[in-house]
Structure formats: C-alpha cells, structure tokens
Amino acid sequence: KNLPVVISVRGPLIGSSHPLTFGHLICVVGYDADKQRVLCIDSGFSEDEKTFVGYPLHDFMQGWGRRHQIAYIFTPKDLESSLAKIMQ
C-alpha cells in the first residue's frame, strides 16, 4: 500500500511501446479491478503523456513471470512508523 513497486517484465506485453525482448523495468502504481488492468508508469514511451498505461492482468503476469517475478520495493528509512501510518 502506497509504496512504489518497480518490476521487471520481458516478452510481448499488449500495449507496450515496443517488444520487450531483453527485459524492461516499469513502476506499478495501482490496479483497476473492474477492468483487470495493472496501472503502471512505463518510461519506454517516447512521450510523457503516454507513460501512464494499464496492462491487461493476464499479459502483465506472464511478462513478469518471464523475469521470475523480480520486484524492487522502495521503502522509507523508518519503515515501521510508515507502515503503522498506512495501516491506520
């Protein structure tokens, strides 16, 4: 909750800016349960206004799986108190 998660994807991903043959990092910022789309900021697009994109859940999970579900989670220095605030 409220922590940026950067993940690595590889292979075809519907809606991506280009084929992700060698892998690519994207920042996951949310999930649209109604549309079953993972909401991301993807720096692979050449125009800033196109970097916010939603990927179909199934395709996203396959692309992430091809990179063995690698994820980077950025946390504040004082994680314990930050988590307490999030859980309130």
Side-chain angles (χ1 to χ4, degrees), residues 40-57:
C40 303
I41 298 172
D42 186 344
S43 64
F45 290 90
S46 60
E47 298 175 33
D48 288 346
E49 56 274 355
K50 293 182 180 179
T51 60
F52 183 75
V53 63
Y55 291 116
L57 177 61

Side-chain angles (χ1 to χ4, degrees), residues 48-84:
D48 288 346
E49 56 274 355
K50 293 182 180 179
T51 60
F52 183 75
V53 63
Y55 291 116
L57 177 61
H58 180 73
D59 293 329
F60 175 87
M61 294 302 291
Q62 285 186 331
W64 189 30
R66 285 188 282 274
R67 294 295 290 160
H68 308 287
Q69 289 86 31
I70 294 173
Y72 305 91
I73 301 171
F74 297 88
T75 60
K77 287 183 181 180
D78 188 1
L79 179 60
E80 192 172 313
S81 67
S82 294
L83 289 175

Side-chain angles (χ1 to χ4, degrees), residues 7 9-10 12-15 26 28 30-40 53-66 69:
I7 60 100
V9 293
R10 186 179 69 197
L13 190 60
I14 293 174
I26 57 178
V28 177
Y31 178 68
D32 183 333
D34 293 332
K35 296 180 181 178
Q36 292 199 353
R37 296 181 74 80
V38 180
L39 306 176
C40 303
V53 63
Y55 291 116
L57 177 61
H58 180 73
D59 293 329
F60 175 87
M61 294 302 291
Q62 285 186 331
W64 189 30
R66 285 188 282 274
Q69 289 86 31

